[in-house]
């Protein structure tokens, strides 16, 4: 037994965690080594001091609260997924719609010059929202692009739309007016923000303008009364 | 064969997040308190660790040593926070406690002072030293276990622990809040 053993195992020596043989050897060493005696006394005082650190208990309520908070965050994350799904569904719907119109264009082989509309017309943008649960107090904020007007709200650049969303598919119709002289080849962009229980998400919706002559009513889906199958098709 | 069944049908015996972490919540909070020095920060730290663990649920479910995995996550999160909040004192000053007249000193006061003295001492250590002292000298983890949790060689931990102890022993002896020292003055 030497000083090194005591240095290396000082906590065990102080706390009596040695085998009986080790303890005997340590005791024998200590009788002849005042340095180790002093060091052990100091270390024992240090450990006693540390043991005086009191740790409060975590209450059962607090534990549950912590775990519940995670579940709340999970639900919020799920709401984000719903909004992403909403955006994806809307964009996908519009994409399919546009694809259909582009096919019409290609068949008719309309010269580009004829895609400048010569008179104003109105059409509708359908927003398809699919939610996993009822959301009675959702808020939809929509920024209207400069190129078009909202029918009945001419000059309005932003629309705040309190919406009560029901579980499943929801279709919101947005009547817009396309003034004369607007290039129909361009894509216009709606910026939308949906807020539910302080969880919100911004997204962009790109819409290509379509004149009545090109048959907006020929949309591949009837979304006024959507069926589950429609939404399966939408993606 | 079990793996094939698990792949085909999913592992129904896999534990939920709550089932995995609940047995360790008390320990997490206790160590978080020893790291941070106050209840509010300890709760915040545990909450952040839970969120991190929740994000990595699959890894947590597959971890062979769940306790070590959780304690490593707690340590890493504490070190991150310490780096971000380095300038902020972790605990309140002892000045108020020093105002207690000695004639009113009771065993309860002494316990409280010892508690605060330890917190004050720990707050003088860096995050690594604080974690080492807390885990090794208070909670009884071995250096080998700590090497796994803190991802450092045993030799490095040993010298860090030696420095931390030396600093704490000096601080414990110097602090005027020590009742016996004040009686002597």
């Amino acid at each position: 037994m030497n000083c090194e053993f005591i240095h290396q195992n000082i906590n065990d020596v102080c706390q009596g965690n040695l085998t009986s043989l080790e303890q005997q050897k340590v005791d024998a060493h200590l009788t002849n080594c005042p340095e180790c005696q002093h060091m052990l006394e100091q270390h024992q005082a240090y450990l006693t001091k540390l043991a005086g650190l009191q740790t409060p208990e975590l209450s059962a309520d607090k534990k549950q609260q912590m775990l519940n908070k995670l579940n709340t965050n999970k639900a919020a994350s799920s709401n984000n997924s719903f909004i992403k799904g909403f955006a994806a569904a809307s964009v996908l719907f519009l994409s399919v719609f546009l694809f259909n119109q582009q096919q019409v264009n290609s068949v008719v082989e309309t010269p580009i010059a004829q895609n400048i509309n010569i008179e104003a017309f109105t059409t509708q943008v359908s927003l398809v929202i699919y939610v996993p649960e009822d959301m009675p107090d959702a808020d939809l904020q929509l920024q209207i692009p400069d190129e078009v007007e909202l029918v009945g709200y001419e000059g309005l650049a932003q629309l705040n739309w309190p919406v009560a969303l029901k579980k499943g598919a929801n279709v919101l119709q947005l009547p817009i007016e396309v003034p004369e002289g607007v290039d129909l080849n361009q894509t216009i962009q709606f910026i939308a923000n949906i807020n539910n229980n302080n969880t919100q998400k911004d997204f962009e919706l790109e819409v290509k303008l379509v004149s009545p002559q090109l048959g907006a009513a020929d949309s591949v889906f009837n979304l006024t009364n959507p069926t589950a199958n429609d939404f399966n098709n939408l993606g | 064969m079990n793996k094939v069944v698990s792949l085909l049908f999913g592992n129904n015996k896999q534990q939920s997040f709550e089932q995995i972490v609940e047995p360790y919540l008390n320990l997490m909070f206790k160590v978080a308190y020893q790291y941070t020095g106050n209840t509010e920060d300890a709760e915040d730290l545990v909450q952040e660790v839970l969120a991190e663990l929740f994000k990595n649920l699959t890894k947590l479910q597959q971890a062979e040593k769940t306790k070590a995995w959780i304690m490593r996550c707690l340590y890493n999160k504490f070190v991150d926070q310490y780096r971000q909040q380095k300038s902020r004192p972790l605990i309140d000053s002892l000045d108020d406690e020093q105002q207690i007249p000695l004639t009113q000193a009771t065993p309860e006061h002494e316990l409280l002072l010892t508690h605060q003295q330890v917190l004050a001492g720990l707050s003088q250590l860096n995050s690594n030293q604080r974690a080492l002292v807390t885990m090794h000298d208070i909670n009884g983890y071995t250096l080998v276990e700590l090497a796994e949790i803190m991802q450092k060689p045993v030799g490095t931990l040993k010298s860090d622990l030696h420095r931390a102890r030396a600093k704490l022993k000096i601080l414990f002896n110097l602090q005027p809040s020590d009742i016996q020292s004040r009686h002597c003055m």
Side-chain angles (χ1 to χ4, degrees), chain A residues 115-129:
Chain A
N115 276 342
I116 303 295
N117 70 324
I118 53 174
E119 58 183 42
F121 66 91
T122 60
T123 186
Q124 288 200 326
V125 172
S126 296
L127 300 182
V128 184
I129 305 177

Side-chain angles (χ1 to χ4, degrees), chain A residues 100-137:
Chain A
N100 187 46
Q101 295 311 316
Q102 281 165 354
Q103 279 187 321
V104 173
N105 281 346
S106 65
V107 171
V108 175
E109 292 181 352
T110 309
I112 291 172
Q114 289 185 13
N115 276 342
I116 303 295
N117 70 324
I118 53 174
E119 58 183 42
F121 66 91
T122 60
T123 186
Q124 288 200 326
V125 172
S126 296
L127 300 182
V128 184
I129 305 177
Y130 187 86
V131 293
E133 58 190 28
D134 286 352
M135 295 181 180
D137 299 315

Side-chain angles (χ1 to χ4, degrees), chain A:
Chain A
M1 179 62 59
N2 55 25
C3 300
E4 183 63 20
F5 177 85
I6 294 178
H7 277 275
Q8 294 299 325
N9 300 283
I10 193 159
N11 276 11
D12 288 334
V13 174
C14 285
Q15 291 161 353
N17 294 333
L18 303 177
T19 63
S20 54
L21 183 61
E22 285 171 335
Q23 190 64 56
Q24 282 175 16
K25 288 180 177 176
V26 167
D27 290 342
H29 175 79
L30 288 176
T31 53
N32 299 316
C33 183
E35 288 84 8
C36 279
Q37 277 183 34
H38 180 64
M39 183 185 68
L40 274 181
E41 280 169 15
Q42 279 195 328
H43 196 73
Q44 186 66 61
Y46 158 82
L47 289 177
T48 305
K49 185 74 83 177
L50 283 182
L53 181 64
Q54 301 155 35
T55 310
E57 293 284 326
L58 191 62
S59 70
D61 283 351
K62 193 68 197 177
K63 279 186 202 170
Q64 199 53 51
Q65 199 182 329
M66 284 176 160
L67 293 171
N68 288 346
K69 200 170 177 182
L70 289 176
N71 290 331
T72 309
N73 290 342
K74 186 182 171 185
S77 161
S78 154
N79 279 348
N80 280 342
S81 302
F82 122 70
I83 292 169
K84 284 174 191 164
F86 161 41
S90 301
V91 170
L92 186 58
F93 160 64
L94 293 166
S95 301
V96 173
F97 181 81
L98 293 172
F99 177 69
N100 187 46
Q101 295 311 316
Q102 281 165 354
Q103 279 187 321
V104 173
N105 281 346
S106 65
V107 171
V108 175
E109 292 181 352
T110 309
I112 291 172
Q114 289 185 13
N115 276 342
I116 303 295
N117 70 324
I118 53 174
E119 58 183 42
F121 66 91
T122 60
T123 186
Q124 288 200 326
V125 172
S126 296
L127 300 182
V128 184
I129 305 177
Y130 187 86
V131 293
E133 58 190 28
D134 286 352
M135 295 181 180
D137 299 315
D139 288 312
L140 177 66
Q141 193 180 76
L142 207 60
Q143 288 180 26
I144 315 296
D146 293 340
E147 294 85 349
V148 298
E149 302 276 10
L150 195 62
V151 176
Y153 298 91
E154 286 75 12
L156 194 71
Q158 181 175 297
L159 174 70
N160 291 316
W161 199 353
V163 284
L165 301 173
K166 294 285 183 188
K167 182 180 178 182
N170 297 261
V171 179
L172 303 178
Q173 300 285 356
L174 194 66
I176 61 167
E177 181 176 339
V178 184
E180 64 179 69
V182 171
D183 180 2
L184 296 181
N185 283 321
Q186 69 178 317
T187 299
I188 61 171
Q189 199 174 56
F190 287 82
I191 308 292
N193 170 284
I194 194 159
N195 184 328
N196 180 58
N197 284 341
N198 293 327
T199 303
Q200 55 180 320
K201 180 81 179 175
D202 291 317
F203 49 90
E204 299 173 356
L205 295 173
E206 291 191 341
V207 179
K208 192 169 183 181
L209 299 173
V210 180
S211 71
Q213 291 80 5
L214 291 178
D218 291 339
S219 170
V220 286
F221 302 120
N222 173 10
L223 289 172
T224 310
N225 295 301
T227 63
N229 202 32
D230 284 335
F231 288 93
N232 288 338
N233 288 337
L234 287 173

Side-chain angles (χ1 to χ4, degrees), chain A residues 8 10-11 43 46-47 49-50 52-58 62-63 66-67 69-71 74, chain B residues 17 26 29-30 33-34 43 47 51 54 111 115 117-119 133 136-137 158 165 169 172 178:
Chain A
Q8 294 299 325
I10 193 159
N11 276 11
H43 196 73
Y46 158 82
L47 289 177
K49 185 74 83 177
L50 283 182
L53 181 64
Q54 301 155 35
T55 310
E57 293 284 326
L58 191 62
K62 193 68 197 177
K63 279 186 202 170
M66 284 176 160
L67 293 171
K69 200 170 177 182
L70 289 176
N71 290 331
K74 186 182 171 185
Chain B
F17 180 74
N26 281 336
F29 177 72
K30 180 183 167 190
Y33 180 84
Q34 290 163 350
E43 286 174 356
Q47 189 71 62
F54 191 71
L111 285 174
H115 168 80
Q117 198 178 359
V118 174
L119 284 182
V133 168
H136 188 275
D137 287 347
K158 201 180 281 184
R165 281 172 170 172
K169 284 174 186 174
F172 287 164
D178 186 297

